[in-house]
Amino acid sequence: MIVLGFETSCDETGVSLLENEKVLFNNIYSQQIHSHFGGVVPEIASREHTERVLKMTEEILKESKLTINDIDGIAVTYGPGLLCSLLIGLSFAKGLAYSTGIPFVGVNHLEAHIYSPFITSPECSYPFLSLLVSGGHTSIVKVDGFRDYKVLGSTLDDACGESFDKVSKLIGIGYPGGPVIQNFARKGKDDAFNFPVPDPGALNFSYSGLKTSVLYTYRDIPYAERIYKIPDIAASFQKAAIETLIIKLKRAVNMTGIDRISISGGVSANKLLRKRLEELDVDWIAPSAEFTVDNGAMVAFLGYKLLKEDIRSDFDLKANPRLFLN
Ligand code: KG4
Ligand code: ZN
């Protein structure tokens, strides 16, 4: 079965082509324009999706030497995300499915992230713990079976990736914050500043206090010295932001007795997070780099699994910006 996958929930336009569980092409356009604003501007994001999605679909068909008649299924993210961004991909996918008669299915973006490590690694046996860490979400989920989830903890305020983005904006080093902070951190001392490692109890997360602590520290540094302190701030912040994930994961392992961990979402690309997981006595897997950021392949991958089970969506499927895991 050949599946076309579309992802337009935020600021990445993703179009991907998959044959059964094998990704043939994974084209991602990351909208750099938002770096001028230090964060995603929804109106601009949806315009960019509109300009890209048809072109990218034509390109991927050309590259693969396939025509639309060779496609057996269409999968598209319908939530969560920015409403106007979701609507572009969803409307495009619906139009394509309606005009060709190709079956289509709406995919939950969070579920697509959860299954993304299995595009390149053998699937974990159930149950396993999934750490979903992105710009919009930070959760630990117990996965008891295919699409059988229990959310054990989530963030009470900012998401982990969001805190990287906000801190990066605060210290003026660019967007998205995760990769730039990771880069600056390599040149800094992670014990230069003693930022608090957030632990709001149980398996919940909180990043707003850490962000505020960075803000106050940065404000107290004399203006002329700030630029020299950026690597140390990046390293110290990154250490605290990642350590809280590790504390919660260890706690989740102790509470559930499950030591199979899968990480996914943009922050799962973080090298310190992967290093710290390596030091724990657990089995863990992560998506390969191209499937950590938002992408169409993870949508096509889960879409394929659904379509194979004859799960399809109706044309009245609505975009749902607040979709969560049930
Ligand atoms: O999964 P994703 O592409 O989009 C959402 O679904 O939100 O995640 C994007 C987030 C951004 O906040 C970005 O700063 C963060 O992932 N990120 C990272 C790294 N690479 C991306 N955070 C920490 N370290 C990284 N290496
Ligand atoms: Zn995402």
Side-chain angles (χ1 to χ4, degrees):
M1 184 192 288
I2 297 182
V3 178
L4 245 181
F6 297 103
E7 159 60 41
T8 65
S9 67
C10 192
D11 59 338
E12 259 90 24
T13 316
V15 181
S16 186
L17 203 55
L18 178 128
E19 183 165 21
N20 299 331
E21 301 208 341
K22 188 168 173 277
V23 176
L24 303 177
F25 293 92
N26 184 35
N27 295 359
I28 303 174
Y29 173 71
S30 292
Q31 304 173 358
Q32 291 307 324
I33 188 164
H34 304 287
S35 59
H36 300 299
F37 307 97
V40 180
V41 182
E43 161 77 15
I44 296 178
S46 48
R47 280 170 189 252
E48 291 269 291
H49 289 308
T50 310
E51 276 175 26
R52 294 282 157 177
V53 71
L54 171 61
K55 264 189 224 155
M56 287 174 70
T57 307
E58 287 173 340
E59 273 162 21
I60 214 166
L61 288 173
K62 199 169 164 202
E63 256 176 291
S64 63
K65 300 194 169 51
L66 296 175
T67 71
I68 196 69
N69 299 322
D70 299 310
I71 307 300
D72 304 301
I74 292 172
V76 59
T77 300
Y78 74 102
L82 300 170
L83 179 62
C84 292
S85 289
L86 289 166
L87 281 172
I88 307 301
L90 183 59
S91 307
F92 183 77
K94 278 186 190 175
L96 200 55
Y98 188 79
S99 59
T100 55
I102 299 169
F104 107 101
V105 65
V107 167
N108 179 329
H109 181 84
L110 303 178
E111 285 190 79
H113 271 306
I114 288 177
Y115 287 96
S116 64
F118 311 134
I119 298 176
T120 42
S121 305
E123 209 151 308
C124 285
S125 54
Y126 297 109
F128 64 88
L129 297 173
S130 173
L131 174 72
L132 178 55
V133 262
S134 67
H137 292 86
T138 304
S139 299
I140 295 182
V141 182
K142 181 155 83 77
V143 188
D144 286 315
F146 182 55
R147 308 189 76 204
D148 182 359
Y149 313 109
K150 183 159 195 290
V151 179
L152 303 180
S154 287
T155 182
L156 305 174
D157 40 59
D158 292 348
C160 183
E162 187 180 2
S163 76
F164 275 82
D165 296 336
K166 287 182 172 171
V167 165
S168 177
K169 186 176 181 183
L170 184 78
I171 60 178
I173 57 173
Y175 177 87
V180 263
I181 287 190
Q182 176 174 278
N183 249 337
F184 272 101
R186 284 192 298 131
K187 298 165 229 143
K189 290 194 287 294
D190 65 8
D191 58 355
F193 296 98
N194 195 15
F195 295 131
V197 177
D199 185 2
L203 297 177
N204 287 325
F205 300 89
S206 166
Y207 280 96
S208 64
L210 172 58
K211 177 193 65 192
T212 308
S213 176
V214 176
L215 168 70
Y216 290 156
T217 304
Y218 187 67
R219 270 198 334 206
D220 289 345
I221 301 171
Y223 191 78
E225 286 172 32
R226 286 182 184 169
I227 191 154
Y228 305 107
K229 298 285 182 195
I230 283 174
D232 287 348
I233 291 180
S236 306
F237 161 75
Q238 178 179 246
K239 183 178 158 200
I242 296 301
E243 207 46 42
T244 182
L245 299 176
I246 295 297
I247 289 172
K248 302 295 172 166
L249 273 178
K250 278 192 199 161
R251 198 171 288 162
V253 169
N254 286 336
M255 282 166 63
T256 60
I258 300 166
D259 63 358
R260 284 179 298 281
I261 293 173
S262 157
I263 61 170
S264 58
V267 184
S268 71
N270 186 274
K271 293 200 171 85
L272 178 63
L273 173 60
R274 292 179 180 219
K275 179 169 171 277
R276 293 290 290 116
L277 277 166
E278 204 53 59
E279 290 161 9
L280 300 185
D281 188 21
V282 292
D283 280 339
W284 68 278
I285 59 167
S288 63
E290 64 175 316
F291 306 127
T292 56
V293 287
D294 289 348
N295 64 88
M298 67 181 190
V299 178
F301 186 73
L302 182 55
Y304 163 73
K305 286 176 182 285
L306 300 175
L307 290 165
K308 204 174 58 166
E309 302 291 321
D310 254 341
I311 299 172
R312 297 170 182 203
S313 299
D314 295 328
F315 285 114
D316 61 5
L317 178 71
K318 295 200 170 35
N320 184 349
R322 299 194 178 279
L323 188 66
F324 198 50
L325 298 165
N326 42 22

